[in-house]
Amino acid sequence: MVVNEEISTSLYYDRTFDCDAAKISPGEYYYTDKDMVIVTVLGSCVSACIRDTVSGIGGMNHFMLPDGGNADKDNPASESMRYGAYAMEVLINQLLRNGARRENLEAKIFGGGNVLRSFTSMNVGERNALFVRQFLKDENIKVTGEDLNDIYPRKVYFFPKTGKVLVKKLKQLNNYTLIKREETYASRLKTDSVGGEVELF
């Protein structure tokens, strides 16, 4: 079985913000040129909110580096790093294909909380945060805002048209559903291989 980033199909109307919304889960992304909000809840996973500052087309992904063990964690060509790069490239390529221009791209990055107690070999959240920062630096995409690490899960609302992001730290103890979802996603990553070749242009 191959891991493929999937475009979210969880669309709804958000009464709070009075606009259409897309909710993304681990392993999903969403992009749009419409005036809407993209929403996700992050624990150890990270999300990059990337937009073209001129056209307003933008999107968000939600991913985690698979735990490849200590042996490959610093090797940039490792399976886990390739997976992270794939998750980022899928979103960037969709934006470029739909009219965004590389020189206009900016990013805001979130997540990487230390919330998955079961990952004892390394701090998965911290690795995800380091990865997303380094990837964007290597791609010369300016990071204009971030909220990474810490111990709390976050709910993130991204408005691609304006670039505005609202982050709510979830400090209550009942994060069982989120943790279960991320653990299931992480165990799937361990057994799956990276999907398709992705070309950056």
Side-chain angles (χ1 to χ4, degrees), residues 3-39:
V3 171
N4 283 309
E5 289 291 292
E6 294 173 16
I7 191 153
S8 170
T9 54
S10 301
L11 304 178
Y12 66 100
Y13 188 80
D14 192 301
R15 293 178 192 281
T16 308
F17 298 110
D18 194 25
C19 67
D20 290 326
K23 182 182 179 209
I24 61 171
S25 298
E28 294 183 337
Y29 72 97
Y30 193 80
Y31 68 94
T32 184
D33 60 357
K34 296 182 173 60
D35 193 3
M36 61 185 291
V37 62
I38 306 172
V39 186

Side-chain angles (χ1 to χ4, degrees), residues 16 19 24-25 28 30 37 41 49 69 73-75 84 87 89 103 110 118 120 138-139 151 161 164 168:
T16 308
C19 67
I24 61 171
S25 298
E28 294 183 337
Y30 193 80
V37 62
V41 177
C49 302
K73 74 176 193 307
D74 295 320
N75 176 358
E89 287 169 5
E103 62 270 24
F110 304 94
S118 59
T120 51
D138 293 345
E139 292 296 321
I151 59 166
K161 266 284 186 242
K164 185 168 91 169
K168 182 180 179 185

Side-chain angles (χ1 to χ4, degrees), residues 78-175:
S78 72
E79 188 78 12
S80 62
M81 295 301 177
R82 283 213 321 273
Y83 182 81
Y86 177 73
M88 292 295 290
E89 287 169 5
V90 166
L91 174 59
I92 292 167
N93 280 345
Q94 287 290 13
L95 298 178
L96 296 177
R97 253 185 227 122
N98 286 276
R101 296 178 64 97
R102 177 173 277 285
E103 62 270 24
N104 297 336
L105 294 181
E106 69 170 23
K108 293 181 180 179
I109 48 181
F110 304 94
N114 186 17
V115 299
L116 290 184
R117 303 274 178 260
S118 59
F119 292 132
T120 51
S121 64
M122 62 190 73
N123 184 341
V124 173
E126 199 173 298
R127 278 182 62 223
N128 289 324
L130 286 169
F131 166 79
V132 76
R133 275 196 192 112
Q134 190 60 50
F135 182 92
L136 290 164
K137 187 179 173 194
D138 293 345
E139 292 296 321
N140 291 317
I141 294 174
K142 192 166 103 180
V143 175
T144 59
E146 66 171 58
D147 184 20
L148 295 164
N149 302 131
D150 207 343
I151 59 166
Y152 299 111
R154 299 160 171 86
K155 189 162 192 180
V156 179
Y157 301 85
F158 175 45
F159 299 83
K161 266 284 186 242
T162 62
K164 185 168 91 169
V165 178
L166 301 174
V167 180
K168 182 180 179 185
K169 297 255 174 89
L170 305 175
K171 296 187 180 179
Q172 72 273 25
L173 296 175
N174 189 13
N175 292 313

Side-chain angles (χ1 to χ4, degrees), residues 35-82:
D35 193 3
M36 61 185 291
V37 62
I38 306 172
V39 186
T40 200
V41 177
L42 299 164
S44 300
C45 291
V46 288
S47 278
C49 302
I50 303 175
R51 70 184 287 264
D52 180 312
T53 56
V54 177
S55 69
I57 183 171
M60 182 201 288
N61 58 19
H62 180 149
F63 69 93
M64 175 191 295
L65 299 183
D67 183 350
N70 287 329
D72 80 342
K73 74 176 193 307
D74 295 320
N75 176 358
S78 72
E79 188 78 12
S80 62
M81 295 301 177
R82 283 213 321 273

